[in-house]
Structures are given as C-alpha cells and as structure tokens.
Amino acid sequence: MLDIAFVKPVLPRHGALVLPLVEGSGPEGMNELAGLAQAVDAASGGAVARALAAASFKGRKGQSCTIWAPALEGGASGPSRIVAIGLGKAAELTPEGLEAAGAAALPLVNGEREAVIAAETLAAPQAAAFALGLLLKSYRFDRYRTTEKEEDKPKLERVEVATDATTAAKTAWAPMRAVAEGVFLSRDLVSEPPNILHPEEMAERCQELEKLGLTVEVLGPKEMKKLGMGALLGVAQGSAREPRIVVMQWLGATGNGGKGKKAATKPLAFIGKGVTFDTGGISIKPAAGMEDMKWDMAGAGAVIGLMAALAGRRARVDAVGLVGLVENMPSGDAQRPGDVVKTASGQTVEVINTDAEGRLVLADVIHYCQQRFEPRFMIDLATLTGAIIISLGHEHAGLFSNDDALAQQITAAGKAVGEACWRMPLGEAYDKQLKSDIADMKNVGGRPGGSITAAQFIQRFVNTKNGPMQAPTPWAHLDIAGVAWSSKDLPTVPKGATAFGVRLLDRLVADHYEG
Amino acid sequence: MLRVKLRPSARDHGGPRAIPVAEGAAPPQAFRAAAEAARFTGAAGQVLDLPTPGGRVLLVGAGRPRRMLNWEMAGGTAAAGAGRVKRLTIDAGGLAPEAAAALAAGACLRAWRFDACRRREEPAPEALDLVVDSPAAVAPCWERAAAAVRGCLFARDLTAEPGNRLTTRDFAARLEALAEHGIAVDVLGRKRLARAGLGALLAVGGGSANPPRLAVLRWRGSHAAPPIAFIGKGICFDTGGISIKPAQGMEAMRADMAGAAACAGAMLALALRHSPAPAVAVLALAENAIGAAAYRPGDVLRTGAGRTVEVVDTDAEGRLVLADALHYAQRFRPAAMLDLATLTGAIVTALGTHRAGLFGTDAALLAQVAAAGEAVGEQLWPMPIGERHRAELKSDIADLKQCVPTGGEGGRFLPDACHAAAFLREFVGATPWVHLDIAGLGTRAAPWALGPKGPSGFGARLLDALVAQSFEDPDRH
C-alpha cells in the first residue's frame, strides 16, 4: 500500500508535483495559481502557466496536463514532472469528485517513486478525499506475475500531501486509510484464485484479523451438524474442501475496543455469501465465463473487509460479521436436484437447482446469526443472481429490505461513496413462486422475477416476531452479482474486484450507528 | 361486456345471487350457520355456494375492503364463483354507491370472454343485476366505472385476436370505428409515413405483406390545455424478423400489440365518460415478419427525429417503432408522454409477472403514474436509466445502437429493459415522459381476480385513472 503523508508545503526537488486546480474566473478560465503551484510557476519564470495555457487546461473536471521537467531559474533541481488535474468549479466540489480527480492523477505519476500533491488550496477533508481516490486507484493484484518487466511495474511508493492544515488533514485521513485497507483486503480475497482461496484458507485469513482487535471464531462441519445446518452442508458436501463459518465480532461501542467485554449487545450484523468457487454443482454452469465464479465469495469478501475497516478505525459500535464459506462442486457426493434438506431453522427446502446455492448458505448463517446475537439489524451481501444483472446492469446493486428506513439509509450511504443501490420489490405474490410439492419451499422460483424470489427465499429465514413489539428483524439484502467485479476501470476502482459494500456499509455505520 | 341493470330489489331470473361479505362481518342470518360450518370468514377470494329453495346463493368474501379495488375484486370473485350462467345478481344493498359500482365493474372484468373464434357451446354470462339501495345514486358512479371497464375490455379484445385476424389494416379499421364515440382517428399509411420520415417504423414493417400504420387518435376534451399523449407499441405479430425467435411459445407474440391496445382502450374510456382532459394516442402498428424486404441486423435506419440507428437485433423492433411514434407525438405539444409496450424479456426476469417496469424522466409524473397503477391494481415498480445504460448504446457507425449485442463486452447478462428505456429517452425531447414495460403483464398465465387467463388489458384502466386523478383539474398547468 502506498505510503501517504501530510506535510507542510515544500517545493520538491525530484519526483512528481501534482496540482489539483479548480476551474475559475482568472486568465485563460483558470484561477490564479497559489501555493506550490504559484511557487513552481515563479521558479520556472512563468513556464508552467504558459504550458497550461498552451494545452488549453482550464481546470475543468476530467482535464489533466503533464509538463515534463520544467527548467527552474538558476538551474535549481525541481520536479521531473508536473501534473495538473482539473477539479471543476470550486462551488461544485464533492468528495466523490475529488476522489475521482485523485484517482485520475495516479496513472500520470505512477512512473515516479515519489509525488507531492499541492493541496494548500483545498480544505483538509478535501485534500484527504483527493488522496483517498489516488490510493484506491493504486490497487494492484500482482501476486502471481513473475515475468513482468521492472519498467512495466508502477514505481510510486510515497505520496506527500502538502497542506498548511496537516493536523486536520491527518485526522480526516486516519479513518479513510483504515477503510482503504478494508477495501484492499476485500479486493485481495476476491481476486485470489479458487485453488488458493478455498473455505479453510479464507477462514485462516479471517483469523489474522485478530491483530486488529476483532474476535474471530471458526465453525467447521462438526459444529454445523450440531446446529442442524443441513442447507449449508448440502451445498458443501460435493467438495473435497470443508465448509467454514467465520464469526467476527467488533466490540467497539464502549470505545476501548471491547476490553473486558465478552459479547456484543444488540450488534449490527453483516452476513456474506462466500462460495469460494461455484461450478453450479450437478446443475453445472456453461464453461464460458465459469472462471468468474471465483468471485462468488465477494459478499463474504465485503463483510471481511468491512470488519477490518471498522476495527481499523476503532468504530464506536458493536458489530458482527458472519460469512458462510463453501465450495460448490459436482461429485459423487454432491447434492442432487430433487434433494430435500433441512435448514437450521427447521424449515425444509426442495433443491430444484444446485446452482441456486447461495441462498441455501445464507439461510443457515442468517438463522444462526439471529439466534445467537439478536442483532439490531441484519444486512446480507451476496453475488446471488444473474437475474439482478439483467434487471439493473452493473451500475446498481439490487437492494431488498423489509424496512423502509434501513433501505433509505443504505441507499443514501451508497450514493455518498459511489456504490449505488436500487430498491427492488418484495411481496406475497413473488413468495408464492417458491411453493414446493414436497417441502416447505423450493430453492428457485422460476425465471420471472428471479432476483426477487431469491430475496423472498432469504426473507423466510428472517425472524418475523421479535421482542415485545413483535416486529420483524430489520433486514436488507444486497444482490451484488452485477457490481462485485468490474470488466473495466471505474473512477476509483481498477478493473477487477471492486470490494463493493465495504465503503457503503462503513459509511452506513458512521452516519447512523456510532456514538 | 355484461349488461348491467341497477335495481332496487332482486328479481328472480333463475341465476345465482351473490352477497358480498366483508371479513369479520356477519353474513345474513339465514346463512350464518352454513357460513360457520364451511369456515367462511369473508376473507378475500372466498366463495360459499349455497343451494337454497329460492335459488343459488353465493357468499363472496370481500376481505377488509379499504379501497375500491377490493370491491372490484369481490365483484370478480362473485362472477368467477357463479360460473357459466347467463344471469347473475349481486346484492350491493347497504353499500356506498362507489362500492356498488366497483362490484359491478369487477364482475364485468372477470366475466369477460373472447369467443370470436369459436362456436359457443356453453352459456356465457350475459347480464348482471346489481341490487342497490338507490339506483339513481349509483348510476353516475357506474357510468364512470363502466367506461374504464369497456376501455379495458376493448384492449383485451384486440390483444386476444390472432395475428391473421388482426393485421395492421384490421387493427387500424377497429380504431377507426372509435370515431362513433367522438374520437378523431387518423391513420397514416406508407406514403405519409415516408413523408414524415418515420424510417424506423417503415423498416420494421417492411418485411410483412401487411403494411405498417401509424394510428393517431384524438380526444378533444373540454379544457383548452395541452393533451396527454399515449404512445403504444402495436406489433400485430412478432416473429422476431431475421433474428427469428425460437418456435416454442411464438404463438404468444400475437399479443405484442398489447401496449397499443391499452392506449386505445384508455382513449375509449375517456370518450365514454366525456373526460374534460384532451388526450392523443399515437399507435405504431406493424408486423415484424420475415420477408425479402425485411430489415437486417447491421442496417442503419434514419428515424423521424433524424437520428440514425444501427440495428443489432431485428427482434428488438418495439423500441424502433416507439422511437418514431414518440417523435411524432411531439407535434401535438403534449403535456406528458406515456408509452406502453410489451418491450423486453429482461423486464420479466427483473420484475416477474406481478409488476410492470416504470421508467421515466419526470419525478412528479412517475409518482402520479405509480399511484394510478396502485389504485386500479396494475402495479408498477420504478427502474433506473443509468449513465452506463446509455453509454453502452454507442454505435461505431450511427448515432446510436438499438440494443447491446449478447456475449460481447456487455457480457452474458444484459439489462435490456434499461437499455431499451435509455434508447427511448433519446426520442422524447424535453417533454415529461414515462415508459411502461408491460411485457410480463399483457397476458396472464392463470385466471385472476379481475379476469380469466389470457389478455389482461393492463394499462387501459391505469391510464384512465391517471387522467382522472392528475389531468382533469382545469387549473393544471
């Protein structure tokens, strides 16, 4: 991960100098240069301003301009490149826009070991947002590249953000860095190939998070059998790899990282689908594109990243993260279409399609989570259905919820961090599509409304009557099949694993559930 | 449609008498013991068929009626419970006039049959006696309700017709007959379509022996206001064209004109109840056939709006004809445009067969349309048009692509309903616009409270309710 520091402005003698510039009313449609920008322009005898004018750079959103090693007066050594990045109009600056601008700077400075961002004209949180965008964009998963040439690799190691308000900027930055670490962890997990990252390995990586102050427990098949988790075990039974459930607890509500506390009280609960590889099982998938099914654990990946983020920034909240980890394989032992399995809740399921396995896993984990923690709310994340991609495409995750207030909070948090959700309907008419002739329900409801019937299935495992008010547990389900992986670069997300959900849920917690 | 008579008391005509009972309310004294024995509680959808010396009596569960829709459903349940009888009485004594009218409306909707193509072997329901406290008080309510019912049933009649009986010409002729209700009908043939430059509609209709038509229906109303415009997809039969559909299930494609039928039905409803709101319907009628003159994947079409479109899949023809119809509708300077179309399979994958997809550009209009749908039991769900949906329609050769090819960069799963809406949005200009993708709702796979299996007429009552709720205020601007 890039080393990012906040320092007082000093003109760099080498490396890159990044100038985030707003569109303005000055000459050539740009604001007057200030701070380090003004300093380097003066030192170059006005060459920087002239170069920007020649390139018609006006500070518009999306504009950028690179000036190579301008000669400084007196032959002084200076930056070997200056990269101007347009921020758009000062009055229209948003965190998302600043992140995108920071991210846009990354490829332009990646050839230098060090870069200085001249952020004196930005407020401290704005400077931090710019740095966050740059950091998020710098993610690479190159663990398995052995022959890449040295000159093809990105060189950037250290970024200094030059600001007069270093203390304020550092304060704004600390939680952002923790969230970015959660995002990177999530992207790592999702990017890992399925022969490396199987359920046992994924559980072990969760255990490493204890160093952040999380309590981590791992359940194996024996415990699951005792708990009656026939649905999850049914999915797992075809694989040579044992299933795991990982329970991660962050007890931050007291503000001391849970010292002396044994269990979470009314925690927020996050549940992730972690199918480390999904062949479809006996209802096997077509070969084309099956390699994508390594990221069928992205829901779990997001939950793990989120828990790391919450712990990393010492969030003042009690939260639990549960992930159901299995591999869905065809084999002589595999579950068959037609099998009837008994879930931990006691409800029975007729398995019509072994490729609708995610909901079976979630059913048991959600039930367990409720029984054990009586959570304040439950949010599950899952790359659940192809139908949600046909419904919404790749710009929105599908959001299903039994609670309008929670749904609105999630939508707003997603909007704020650029992880958009779109509410989808639930209803009795859809639920009826799950009717089975032999069991309490089928695991699929047919093509029409395929994502909705999947959500209805999960909802059948959400407690409907809790406490004296007899209210259902507030629950939301995010179908992230269309957004967990990106086939092209997005503003702050390089092509590949997006870690969708980490920033969204961190923001949800920060905005509504801390303190 | 059933002949409905409002009567102050029941007459014995040999048919059954239905008595709606709200949940928890006591049935009439004479039937209480029977109701209890049969566990009849008045729950919505329940029917208790009781032979009595005075004839058959049906206790009909009305549930807990909170809205007129619940009474309509009770009326529908009564009609379904009565079965194949010529005459039916519904006892609406003690009910508000609107509720009584709603019972009749529901019965008429549920009793609809399409018998034009077969010899009648069994008696079909013909008449309904509605027993009410005051026929004079109920009459105006019924007149309003009946207009919407007739509009809906007109749409169903059109949708049920097979492709050989309802060609584009036949469809146009059926629309021209609406003139008797005061609707001005103008049908544009090939020449005028060419003059108007509607190249997309001409191309889609080009492969068929039945020529494309653009039917324009106008209802003047009495307000001097800009009209509301309904735009309908009227593909009389959709083979898919050169991108031909699989044989299995293709017969259902006779109903690919359900959007246009619903718009026509709504116009009829407005005319029958003399709505003060001016309205115009622009219906694009074509048969998407395979022929020597059929359009091809790869063709570039020039639409009426002047925009060029690269054809990717000739089976995505609906958005092409709608593009031209939406463009044409703007010459009436409408206050709002609503298009209805059985447009995409993707919307069925997304929302199933219980809700239609609701897309649009105007938040206020979207809310009004959703509310109208709730009121008449034609439910919608808002769907997005994202930046990326539009971006993916970029073409290498024309102003835009008609749809995104499967398996390419877009992947295996394509949000085609969103793509289609993004495509249509390019043709609506600045007019507030809403698009209803009714592919999952135009035809019902099973009988339901307000109709038999088959065409539903989805949209006709919704549009009528929308006009009544949001477009009849004379001070509206």
Side-chain angles (χ1 to χ4, degrees):
Chain A
M1 206 175 202
L2 287 181
D3 178 16
I4 294 188
F6 293 80
V7 300
K8 295 282 179 200
V10 179
L11 197 60
R13 303 255 158 247
H14 54 267
L17 176 63
V18 179
L19 310 178
L21 298 172
V22 293
E23 192 176 346
S25 50
E28 318 288 342
M30 224 175 60
N31 266 349
E32 297 289 348
L33 297 176
L36 284 182
Q38 196 267 329
V40 75
D41 184 49
S44 69
V48 170
R50 282 198 304 280
L52 291 177
S56 304
F57 179 91
K58 299 192 192 312
R60 283 198 205 109
K61 223 178 207 175
Q63 269 194 321
S64 67
C65 176
T66 301
I67 304 164
W68 298 99
L72 300 190
E73 275 166 2
S77 58
S80 53
R81 69 177 88 176
I82 294 174
V83 173
I85 296 288
L87 300 178
K89 297 211 167 71
E92 295 166 14
L93 288 182
T94 60
E96 205 180 341
L98 285 157
E99 285 174 21
L106 190 263
L108 304 177
V109 300
N110 233 347
E112 306 282 350
R113 271 188 209 294
E114 291 175 26
V116 172
I117 299 170
E120 309 100 307
T121 56
L122 298 176
Q126 293 178 326
F130 189 90
L132 176 64
L134 188 142
L135 175 61
L136 289 172
K137 187 72 169 191
S138 73
Y139 177 81
R140 254 168 74 91
F141 189 76
D142 50 13
R143 197 165 294 174
Y144 301 105
R145 295 186 188 284
T146 62
T147 56
E148 196 176 24
K149 287 183 198 144
E150 209 45 49
E151 63 261 37
D152 292 340
K153 289 184 185 168
K155 292 195 183 57
L156 192 65
E157 287 167 4
R158 181 177 164 82
V159 175
E160 289 183 348
V161 183
T163 170
D164 296 315
T166 46
T167 319
K170 280 177 188 162
T171 310
W173 177 247
M176 287 184 183
R177 167 133 194 139
V179 173
E181 277 171 3
V183 166
F184 280 26
L185 169 63
S186 178
R187 288 181 187 167
D188 278 347
L189 293 170
V190 175
S191 303
E192 283 285 11
N195 57 331
I196 304 290
L197 194 83
H198 43 74
E200 296 140 79
E201 169 68 18
M202 201 164 163
E204 271 169 37
R205 296 215 187 167
C206 291
Q207 280 172 318
E208 289 170 21
L209 298 180
E210 288 194 320
K211 64 175 187 269
L212 293 175
L214 287 165
T215 313
V216 182
E217 288 160 71
V218 179
L219 278 60
K222 244 193 227 159
E223 291 89 344
M224 294 179 198
K225 226 170 264 168
K226 224 178 276 171
L227 289 160
M229 296 182 164
L232 191 155
L233 287 167
V235 176
Q237 77 191 32
S239 170
R241 298 290 181 182
E242 284 187 357
R244 293 285 184 264
I245 288 176
V246 182
V247 183
M248 292 160 279
Q249 297 188 58
W250 170 247
L251 310 176
T254 48
N256 63 359
K259 280 198 190 77
K261 205 171 164 186
K262 289 240 165 60
T265 40
K266 283 294 255 174
L268 314 180
F270 303 96
I271 294 120
K273 166 185 170 184
V275 177
T276 58
F277 193 77
D278 181 15
T279 63
I282 297 295
S283 314
I284 198 163
K285 290 177 185 287
M290 205 203 274
E291 66 279 8
D292 286 346
M293 287 303 106
K294 75 171 183 184
W295 48 263
D296 208 19
M297 37 57 71
V303 169
I304 296 165
L306 170 70
M307 295 308 291
L310 294 178
R313 67 174 182 79
R314 320 299 289 170
R316 292 184 71 101
V317 70
D318 280 3
V320 296
L322 289 88
V323 292
L325 310 177
V326 298
E327 184 179 47
N328 187 20
M329 293 291 271
S331 76
D333 289 330
Q335 162 163 281
R336 294 147 287 255
D339 282 4
V340 173
V341 295
K342 189 163 189 175
T343 65
S345 74
Q347 300 179 83
T348 56
V349 180
E350 180 186 10
V351 178
I352 299 293
N353 186 328
T354 64
D355 194 17
E357 83 296 338
R359 61 200 75 177
L360 294 168
V361 173
L362 287 173
D364 278 345
V365 181
I366 281 178
H367 176 76
Y368 174 72
C369 174
Q370 275 172 140
Q371 298 308 107
R372 177 161 170 199
F373 292 109
E374 293 176 11
R376 188 161 169 196
F377 68 56
M378 291 194 294
I379 298 176
D380 76 76
L381 293 97
T383 47
L384 206 65
T385 65
I388 203 67
I389 315 178
I390 295 173
S391 305
L392 301 173
H394 302 283
E395 268 165 298
H396 295 95
L399 164 61
F400 302 80
S401 183
N402 64 1
D403 188 298
D404 289 344
L406 180 60
Q408 275 165 18
Q409 289 173 353
I410 291 172
T411 306
K415 208 168 173 186
V417 300
E419 297 182 348
C421 301
W422 189 270
R423 186 101 184 254
M424 293 288 284
L426 292 165
E428 207 182 318
Y430 296 105
D431 193 66
K432 280 187 183 150
Q433 289 177 226
L434 295 173
K435 227 174 149 204
S436 161
D437 289 337
I438 186 171
D440 296 334
M441 70 197 89
K442 295 190 290 194
N443 76 329
V444 287
R447 184 181 76 97
S451 306
I452 305 173
T453 53
Q456 293 290 162
F457 182 95
I458 297 170
Q459 193 179 17
R460 286 184 176 213
F461 298 88
V462 175
N463 286 348
T464 50
K465 287 174 184 168
N466 289 317
M469 301 298 287
Q470 296 290 296
T473 306
W475 157 78
H477 157 59
L478 288 170
D479 193 337
I480 58 171
V483 293
W485 189 269
S486 182
S487 59
K488 49 180 147 192
D489 283 336
L490 302 174
T492 60
V493 181
K495 178 176 158 178
T498 63
F500 186 103
V502 176
R503 296 189 63 197
L504 186 165
L505 296 175
D506 173 75
R507 185 59 175 257
L508 173 79
V509 173
D511 281 355
H512 300 286
Y513 296 94
E514 281 186 69
Chain B
M1 176 166 151
L2 296 178
R3 285 193 318 274
V4 177
K5 286 255 165 66
L6 308 178
R7 298 188 189 282
S9 59
R11 279 191 197 181
D12 183 18
H13 47 54
R17 182 161 68 102
I19 305 171
V21 180
E23 196 164 357
Q29 183 64 46
F31 311 117
R32 261 177 221 170
E36 201 165 306
R39 295 189 191 172
F40 176 88
T41 60
Q46 272 191 336
V47 180
L48 184 57
D49 199 334
L50 299 169
T52 73
R56 269 173 79 198
V57 168
L58 302 172
L59 296 188
V60 175
R64 301 185 190 278
R66 294 180 314 258
R67 321 184 278 162
M68 285 307 123
L69 180 61
N70 300 108
W71 290 113
E72 289 180 351
M73 290 175 154
T77 307
R84 296 291 177 81
V85 292
K86 280 202 167 171
R87 302 182 71 95
L88 167 68
T89 298
I90 296 182
D91 197 336
L95 295 180
E98 291 82 9
L103 279 169
C108 291
L109 287 167
R110 181 64 183 83
W112 173 84
R113 285 166 58 90
F114 184 72
D115 284 332
C117 299
R118 66 174 139 220
R119 228 174 27 193
R120 226 180 237 176
E121 280 156 2
E122 298 159 85
E126 286 172 8
L128 168 67
D129 284 0
L130 187 68
V131 178
V132 296
D133 297 341
S134 160
V138 175
C141 296
W142 169 238
E143 225 168 277
R144 270 199 306 277
V149 171
R150 283 184 68 184
C152 175
L153 298 186
F154 179 59
R156 285 187 192 172
D157 281 335
L158 290 168
T159 309
E161 287 284 5
N164 59 337
R165 281 176 46 108
L166 192 86
T167 64
T168 49
R169 286 194 181 95
D170 298 317
F171 199 160
R174 299 275 286 263
L175 296 173
E176 278 166 338
L178 293 178
E180 67 163 301
H181 301 291
I183 296 171
V185 183
D186 181 20
V187 176
L188 284 72
R190 271 204 169 113
K191 265 189 210 152
R192 287 176 65 198
L193 293 177
R195 218 176 302 144
L198 304 190
L201 175 57
L202 282 164
V204 170
S208 170
N210 301 303
R213 296 281 185 260
L214 190 76
V216 180
L217 281 54
R218 300 198 70 181
W219 170 251
R220 267 193 182 288
S222 52
H223 292 161
I228 181 170
F230 307 141
I231 292 91
K233 169 184 172 186
I235 300 297
C236 293
F237 192 81
D238 181 13
T239 65
I242 298 294
S243 315
I244 196 165
K245 289 177 185 288
Q248 195 190 358
M250 205 204 275
E251 67 280 5
M253 286 302 113
R254 64 172 171 242
D256 207 19
M257 32 55 73
C263 294
M267 294 297 286
L268 175 60
L270 297 183
L272 287 173
R273 64 178 181 81
H274 304 288
S275 165
V280 57
V282 178
L283 312 179
L285 313 182
E287 180 175 352
N288 188 19
I290 304 182
Y295 76 131
R296 307 154 202 78
D299 282 4
V300 174
L301 313 177
R302 183 173 294 276
T303 62
R307 299 271 190 109
T308 55
V309 176
E310 178 188 8
V311 177
V312 169
D313 181 335
T314 63
D315 194 18
E317 82 296 336
R319 64 199 75 179
L320 295 174
V321 303
L322 285 173
D324 274 351
L326 283 164
H327 169 73
Y328 195 85
Q330 283 164 68
R331 68 174 59 193
F332 302 105
R333 306 196 175 282
M337 295 198 291
L338 287 96
D339 76 72
L340 276 80
T342 47
L343 205 61
T344 66
I347 202 68
V348 185
T349 301
L351 297 175
T353 53
H354 311 298
R355 287 179 182 269
L358 169 63
F359 298 85
T361 52
D362 186 282
L365 184 63
L366 283 165
Q368 289 167 350
V369 174
E374 287 296 324
V376 301
E378 296 181 346
Q379 290 187 303
L380 310 172
W381 189 264
M383 293 289 285
I385 305 177
E387 275 173 41
R388 192 147 155 199
H389 296 136
R390 172 63 187 87
E392 284 166 350
L393 294 176
K394 270 191 191 146
S395 164
D396 291 339
I397 185 171
D399 294 334
L400 73 164
K401 263 194 305 215
Q402 159 217 37
C403 61
V404 178
T406 322
E409 228 177 87
R412 263 193 311 152
F413 302 113
L414 294 174
D416 188 45
C418 302
H419 285 145
F423 178 88
L424 293 177
R425 190 179 58 182
E426 296 297 304
F427 297 90
V428 301
T431 311
W433 161 75
V434 153
H435 157 57
L436 301 183
D437 192 339
I438 62 170
L441 281 300
T443 303
R444 291 268 184 168
W448 53 301
L450 296 179
K453 176 182 165 180
S456 63
F458 187 100
R461 298 204 315 139
L462 186 157
L463 294 179
D464 175 63
L466 172 71
V467 172
Q469 288 173 4
S470 306
F471 286 83
E472 291 184 352
D473 176 357
D475 299 325
R476 184 183 61 81
H477 3 248

